[in-house]
């Protein structure tokens, strides 16, 4: 076979350099000289996915290809800007034009790239060029699919809202299936893109471009992994929408001003059924009415037994492990002549208060107060406890509030703020989900909304402080708690933790005086002024506290409480130190210290690591954490995470608002002498 006369020169900082024999390159315009990168760029903006910029550099392409390259690049940039501006129709049009131009570029260079297998010296260069051009086409197609997908996906929440507000309803699951088809197209394009980018020879590219290609490969891999995750959970999402059979939900309203292990006292709840994406049932209930129908006698567990002889649904969220508590709640529901449910969702009042920041004030007919974020809890407490309602149930105001609040949420101009609130509330453990369906539960775990207590890990310190209000009514809303956790490690690797817990009761006369005008106007109902003051937050706060630490930890010493008053037991594969904290009067504070030795040691024959997990109790607020590490002078900390918040310290000191779970570790070594 006759060899081609095309000469392929080695790259010298250029993408490729191809010159037909006996001819010189065409003059290069100033615009082309300034165009350093021929870029193939796209962003996956659906569900938080982002595909980084992937660049292709070119300089001496033939004049006929130059216009296509320039136009394709410009159209991609315009498409990206339109996506950012949420003009999806225009974005789709720009990406379509980009695909046309990249296709023209492919056709214009086909006579070169088609010879890649025949050319010994230049085949790698041509192969790389071909793959990058093909990537440009692929990303243009992905961009078009994204634009269509986002437009269709926007119909899903709109349809869900209209289904709840209008009599004429649309099968929401059909829209979900349509979105799934478009995602499959994007997924196939991403796989093709990954194949091109990972198999091209990046060594042939300029050095500053190689890093971009590597980053692009990582981003594409992440996108593909996330899409696989979505495909894995697609059937589960449809199940939650009630695709084939209705899905039933139990929503627990927990009052975190009266703490319980999973967030707060269960005062009321809601039963919700969803069928084909439509809420077909939404019924709020008073937990006391349900508890009155309990057919079984269950002894109260430690702590609860100080305020009640038997356990009911209202106190059944006793375990800090939400799946354990949720199963117990479901058991009490079913044994109180109520229907079984598929999934349990627990929210506390902080969620409602944060959403009220977005919706603005709520007005209810026949209710004299404006319900706002800053007065929601107090109004409910006052209205319910004073029993000023003429209805048969003192919680009627809450039941009247729910549908109005729901409609206000559904008619927000944008869900972005509401979604951000929900994400923040999940991170702060104010929302938890459990399902008896294993696929739904697995999804909750992956989304980290399952509320599980972390399983013990080998040679890992652990702390979780669980409060159960047993006195002071709703005074937990006015309690600030400061946690100090100092770990002492000696040269032999022995680990001793010093834990200090300080609680401050912030209620004072000023807190109650702001309600005096309302009380003067509407009275105290069936309660006295002193009783109302006690209920609203001024009562002595009494807490049955359980401190979860590594199993086998040995309690050495206490301050602020007698060591004989500490109950030691085991739960969830941890050791528990339990005791009564309080009574704590309004405008006062109290501190309790516990010192205990961990059941394992570190080994400094080689480098060892001290690990710690601290898990925040669901529903708690106004907590601070001071974490310190004290080590023997024979040791030093070579690395620590997170970084110390105090400068110029040899040992780590972390001071923070304790509003989410916390992980700490330090690498410790012997000092070389």
């Amino acid at each position: 076979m006759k060899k081609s006369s095309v000469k392929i020169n080695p790259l010298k900082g250029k993408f490729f350099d191809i010159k037909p024999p006996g001819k010189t390159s065409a003059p290069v315009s100033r615009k082309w000289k300034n165009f350093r990168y021929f870029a193939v760029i796209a962003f996956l903006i659906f569900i938080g996915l982002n595909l980084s910029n992937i660049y292709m550099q070119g300089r001496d392409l033939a004049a006929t290809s130059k216009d296509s390259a320039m136009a394709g690049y410009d159209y991609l940039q315009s498409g990206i800007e339109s996506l950012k501006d949420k003009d999806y129709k225009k974005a789709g049009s720009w990406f379509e034009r980009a695909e046309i131009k990249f296709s023209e570029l492919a056709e214009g260079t086909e006579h070169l790239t088609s010879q890649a297998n025949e050319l010994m010296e230049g085949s790698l260069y041509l192969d790389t060029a071909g793959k990058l051009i093909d990537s440009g086409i692929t990303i243009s197609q992905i961009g078009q699919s994204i634009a269509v997908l986002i437009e269709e996906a926007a119909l899903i929440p709109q349809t869900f809202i209209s289904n709840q507000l209008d009599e004429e309803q649309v099968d929401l699951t059909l829209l979900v299936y349509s979105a799934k088809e478009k995602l499959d197209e994007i997924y196939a394009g991403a796989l093709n893109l990954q194949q091109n980018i990972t198999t091209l020879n990046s060594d042939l590219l300029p050095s500053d471009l190689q890093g971009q290609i590597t980053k692009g490969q990582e981003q594409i891999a992440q996108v593909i992994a996330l899409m696989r995750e979505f495909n894995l959970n697609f059937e589960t999402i449809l199940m939650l929408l009630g695709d084939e059979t209705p899905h039933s939900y139990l929503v627990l309203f927990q009052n975190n001003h009266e703490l319980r292990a999973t967030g707060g006292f269960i005062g009321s709840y809601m039963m919700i059924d969803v069928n084909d994406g439509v809420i077909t049932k939404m019924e709020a209930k008073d937990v006391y009415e349900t508890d009155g129908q309990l057919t079984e006698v269950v002894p109260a567990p430690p702590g609860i037994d100080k305020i009640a002889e038997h356990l009911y649904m209202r106190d059944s969220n006793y375990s800090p492990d939400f799946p354990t508590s949720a199963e117990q709640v479901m058991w009490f529901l079913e044994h109180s002549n109520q229907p079984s449910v598929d999934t349990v969702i627990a929210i506390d009042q902080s969620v409602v208060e944060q959403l009220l920041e977005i919706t603005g004030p709520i007005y209810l007919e026949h209710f004299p107060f404006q319900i706002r974020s800053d007065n929601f809890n107090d109004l409910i407490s006052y209205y319910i406890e004073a029993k000023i309602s003429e209805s048969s149930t003192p919680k009627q105001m809450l039941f009247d509030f729910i549908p109005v609040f729901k409609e206000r949420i559904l008619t927000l101009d944008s869900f972005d703020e509401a979604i951000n609130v929900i994400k923040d509330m999940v991170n702060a453990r104010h929302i938890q989900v459990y399902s008896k369906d294993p696929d739904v539960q697995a999804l909750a775990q992956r989304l980290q909304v399952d509320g599980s207590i972390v399983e013990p890990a080998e040679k890992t310190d652990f702390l979780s402080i669980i409060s159960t209000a047993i006195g002071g009514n709703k005074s937990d809303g006015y309690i600030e708690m400061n946690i100090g956790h100092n770990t002492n490690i000696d040269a032999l690797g022995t680990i001793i933790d010093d834990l200090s817990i300080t609680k401050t009761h912030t209620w004072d006369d000023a807190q109650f005086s702001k309600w005096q005008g309302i009380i003067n106007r509407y009275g105290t109902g069936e309660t006295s002024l002193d009783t109302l003051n006690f209920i609203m937050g001024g009562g002595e706060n009494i807490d049955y506290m359980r401190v979860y630490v590594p199993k086998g930890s040995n309690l050495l010493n206490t301050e602020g409480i007698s060591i004989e008053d500490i109950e030691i037991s085991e739960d969830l594969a941890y050791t528990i130190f339990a005791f009564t904290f309080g009574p704590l009067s309004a405008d006062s504070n109290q501190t309790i210290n516990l010192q205990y030795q961990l059941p394992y040691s570190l080994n400094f024959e080689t480098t060892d690591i001290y690990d710690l997990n601290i898990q925040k109790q669901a529903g708690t607020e106004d907590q601070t954490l001071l974490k310190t590490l004290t080590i023997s002078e024979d040791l030093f900390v070579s690395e620590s995470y997170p970084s110390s918040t105090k400068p110029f310290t040899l040992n780590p000191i972390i001071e923070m608002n304790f509003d989410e779970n916390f992980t700490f570790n330090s690498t410790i070594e012997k000092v070389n002498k």
Side-chain angles (χ1 to χ4, degrees):
M1 184 177 67
K2 184 177 180 181
K3 291 186 178 180
S4 170
S5 60
V6 178
K7 173 67 174 176
I8 306 297
N9 296 324
L11 285 180
K12 297 180 180 178
K14 294 175 275 188
F15 178 60
F16 53 75
D17 192 353
I18 305 171
K19 298 181 180 180
K23 295 183 180 180
T24 58
S25 300
V28 182
S29 68
R30 179 176 298 274
K31 180 179 180 183
W32 185 248
K33 287 181 179 178
N34 292 334
F35 177 62
R36 185 177 181 188
Y37 292 111
F38 165 34
V40 178
I41 306 172
F43 292 88
L44 288 178
I45 301 180
F46 184 64
I47 10 179
L49 305 182
N50 184 325
L51 185 60
S52 250
N53 300 343
I54 302 172
Y55 288 85
M56 185 171 74
Q57 197 177 57
R59 182 174 153 182
D60 293 313
L61 294 175
T64 55
S65 300
K66 179 178 65 177
D67 292 339
S68 296
M70 289 291 295
Y73 170 78
D74 290 340
Y75 292 156
L76 274 180
Q77 293 282 38
S78 298
I80 292 165
E81 292 304 315
S82 295
L83 282 179
K84 290 179 180 178
D85 294 338
K86 299 182 180 181
D87 190 341
Y88 305 118
K89 289 188 183 302
K90 184 179 290 186
S93 176
W94 285 122
F95 285 125
E96 183 178 4
R97 296 181 190 181
E99 181 186 1
I100 292 172
K101 290 301 178 182
F102 286 137
S103 297
E104 290 177 359
L105 177 60
E107 292 173 3
T109 58
E110 184 179 6
H111 67 287
L112 295 175
T113 56
S114 63
Q115 302 177 67
N117 292 329
E118 301 176 15
L119 298 172
M120 297 296 292
E121 184 181 357
S123 60
L124 291 177
Y125 303 122
L126 294 176
D127 178 70
T128 299
K131 287 177 178 176
L132 287 173
I133 293 171
D134 185 59
S135 296
I137 296 172
T138 300
I139 290 195
S140 301
Q141 294 169 341
I142 289 176
Q144 293 173 69
S145 296
I146 290 171
V148 174
L149 172 63
I150 297 177
E151 277 196 297
E152 292 182 353
L155 296 176
I156 295 176
Q158 293 174 8
T159 303
F160 178 80
I161 292 168
S162 62
N163 280 347
Q164 318 315 319
L165 301 176
D166 302 332
E167 293 184 3
E168 190 172 331
Q169 296 169 341
V170 177
D171 189 342
L172 182 64
T173 59
L174 295 179
L175 292 177
V176 177
Y177 276 111
S178 177
K180 172 66 163 55
E181 291 177 2
K182 193 59 61 179
L183 272 174
D184 286 342
E185 293 178 11
I186 296 172
Y187 179 57
L191 287 175
N192 179 49
L193 189 61
Q194 184 185 51
Q195 175 68 19
N196 278 336
I197 298 300
T198 56
T199 58
L200 61 79
N201 193 332
S202 60
D203 291 338
L204 303 180
L205 303 176
S207 58
D208 57 345
L209 185 54
Q210 292 177 17
Q212 295 290 343
I213 293 295
T214 300
K215 184 177 180 181
Q217 292 171 351
E218 295 171 355
Q219 296 279 343
I220 294 166
Q222 292 174 10
V223 168
I224 290 173
L226 287 170
M227 287 189 166
R228 284 175 179 159
E229 181 80 5
F230 179 83
N231 286 335
L232 179 66
N233 294 304
F234 179 69
E235 296 297 332
T236 303
I237 294 170
L238 288 173
M239 182 191 304
L240 291 170
L241 291 172
D243 179 29
E244 296 183 356
T245 59
H247 197 85
S248 59
Y249 295 86
L250 169 65
V251 181
L252 304 175
F253 299 122
Q254 301 184 120
N255 185 350
N256 55 339
H257 284 213
E258 188 174 353
L259 283 172
R260 292 293 187 271
T262 67
F265 177 79
I266 304 171
S268 53
Y269 65 93
M270 182 174 289
M271 306 287 286
I272 300 176
D273 289 343
V274 178
N275 186 29
D276 289 334
V278 179
I279 296 177
T280 57
K281 174 185 175 182
M282 190 172 178
E283 182 181 3
K285 295 190 176 185
D286 188 332
V287 73
Y288 283 97
E289 294 180 7
T290 301
D291 285 346
Q293 303 176 56
L294 182 63
T295 59
E296 304 286 339
V297 177
V298 182
I304 300 297
D305 62 0
K306 299 179 185 299
I307 56 174
E309 184 179 357
H310 300 123
L311 188 65
Y312 293 90
M313 179 178 167
R314 58 182 178 266
D315 293 318
S316 60
N317 55 342
Y318 179 77
S319 174
D321 182 64
F322 186 70
T324 302
S325 278
E327 287 185 350
Q328 185 153 274
V329 170
M330 294 166 80
W331 184 92
F332 275 94
L333 185 73
E334 293 171 8
H335 286 80
S336 301
N337 298 316
Q338 301 298 314
S340 61
V341 296
D342 300 308
T343 298
V344 181
I345 302 174
I347 65 173
D348 59 49
Q349 293 186 175
S350 295
V351 178
V352 180
E353 290 167 356
Q354 290 298 311
L355 289 173
L356 278 169
E357 291 278 357
I358 301 172
T359 65
I362 299 289
Y363 301 88
L364 300 180
E365 189 177 358
H366 308 306
F367 186 69
F369 310 114
Q370 180 188 95
I371 302 174
R372 306 184 307 271
S373 174
D374 61 346
N375 68 9
F376 173 73
N377 175 76
D378 291 335
L379 276 180
I380 289 179
S381 298
Y382 169 69
Y383 192 78
I384 292 175
E385 301 298 343
K387 298 179 175 60
I388 61 175
S389 171
E390 297 178 357
S391 65
S392 58
T393 173
K395 296 182 180 176
Q396 189 59 49
M397 187 275 280
L398 178 61
F399 298 158
D400 291 341
F401 168 79
I402 290 172
V404 178
F405 182 59
K406 167 201 162 190
E407 184 168 350
R408 183 70 69 84
I409 292 291
L410 293 176
T411 53
L412 286 171
D413 292 335
S414 172
F415 273 107
D416 291 346
E417 285 186 280
I419 290 172
N420 288 333
V421 166
I422 297 302
K423 288 167 60 178
D424 291 342
M425 291 291 97
V426 167
N427 291 336
R429 304 199 70 205
H430 293 288
I431 301 174
Q432 297 158 99
V433 177
Y434 170 77
S435 181
K436 61 186 180 183
D437 181 275
D439 292 332
V440 176
Q441 183 60 16
L443 176 60
Q445 291 171 344
R446 284 192 284 270
L447 295 175
Q448 297 182 344
V449 72
D450 60 303
S452 299
I453 286 288
V454 62
E455 293 185 3
E458 185 178 359
K459 292 184 67 173
T460 299
D461 199 357
F462 178 80
L463 176 67
S464 186
I465 301 172
I466 305 300
S467 294
T468 299
I470 58 174
N473 207 279
K474 296 173 176 60
S475 58
D476 281 323
Y478 298 92
I479 297 296
E480 295 178 354
M481 188 159 79
N482 301 315
I483 303 167
H485 189 271
N486 179 58
T487 299
N488 299 274
I489 303 176
D490 66 18
L492 298 177
T494 303
I495 306 173
I496 295 177
D497 284 341
D498 287 310
L499 173 66
S500 69
I501 304 168
T502 300
K503 296 179 68 173
T504 303
H505 196 324
T506 64
W507 181 275
D508 54 24
D509 292 340
Q511 297 284 353
F512 194 57
S513 63
K514 64 184 180 182
W515 291 99
Q516 200 62 52
I518 294 176
I519 292 170
N520 291 341
R521 181 177 179 183
Y522 295 100
T524 60
E526 300 177 12
T527 67
S528 67
L529 190 63
D530 288 342
T531 300
L532 192 59
N533 179 78
F534 178 91
I535 290 171
M536 298 288 282
E540 286 188 324
N541 183 269
I542 307 175
D543 169 19
Y544 182 74
M545 183 171 284
R546 288 171 284 165
V547 178
Y548 284 70
V549 297
K551 184 177 179 180
S553 294
N554 182 29
L555 185 61
L556 302 176
N557 193 19
T558 63
E559 292 180 15
I561 187 173
S562 173
I563 196 168
E564 287 78 17
D565 292 333
I566 307 293
E567 304 164 11
I568 301 177
S569 60
E570 291 183 2
D571 181 39
L572 302 170
Y574 291 104
T575 288
I576 302 174
F577 303 138
F579 50 91
T580 300
F581 200 122
L584 181 62
S585 301
D587 201 18
S588 68
N589 62 73
Q590 181 181 349
T591 299
I592 287 179
N593 296 305
L594 304 178
Q595 184 183 72
Y596 52 93
Q597 182 176 334
L598 300 191
Y600 65 91
S601 300
L602 299 183
N603 182 3
F604 298 123
E605 292 301 322
T606 58
T607 300
D608 211 339
I609 299 175
Y610 168 74
D611 284 312
L612 167 68
N613 290 324
I614 301 184
Q615 194 153 14
K616 173 185 179 288
Q617 178 179 354
T620 54
E621 295 185 317
D622 298 322
Q623 294 188 351
T624 61
L625 172 66
L626 175 62
K627 171 60 195 166
T628 57
L629 179 64
T630 304
I631 59 176
S632 165
E633 61 181 11
D634 299 317
L635 306 171
F636 74 98
V637 175
S638 59
E639 190 175 359
S640 192
Y641 173 85
S643 300
S644 178
T645 56
K646 302 291 183 181
F648 312 115
T649 56
L650 296 177
N651 296 327
I653 299 176
I654 312 297
E655 191 169 8
M656 56 179 282
N657 290 324
F658 186 31
D659 50 12
E660 58 185 28
N661 294 340
F662 173 74
T663 299
F664 173 87
N665 61 71
S666 284
T667 302
I668 305 173
E669 303 179 35
K670 272 189 176 181
V671 175
N672 294 323
K673 293 186 177 181

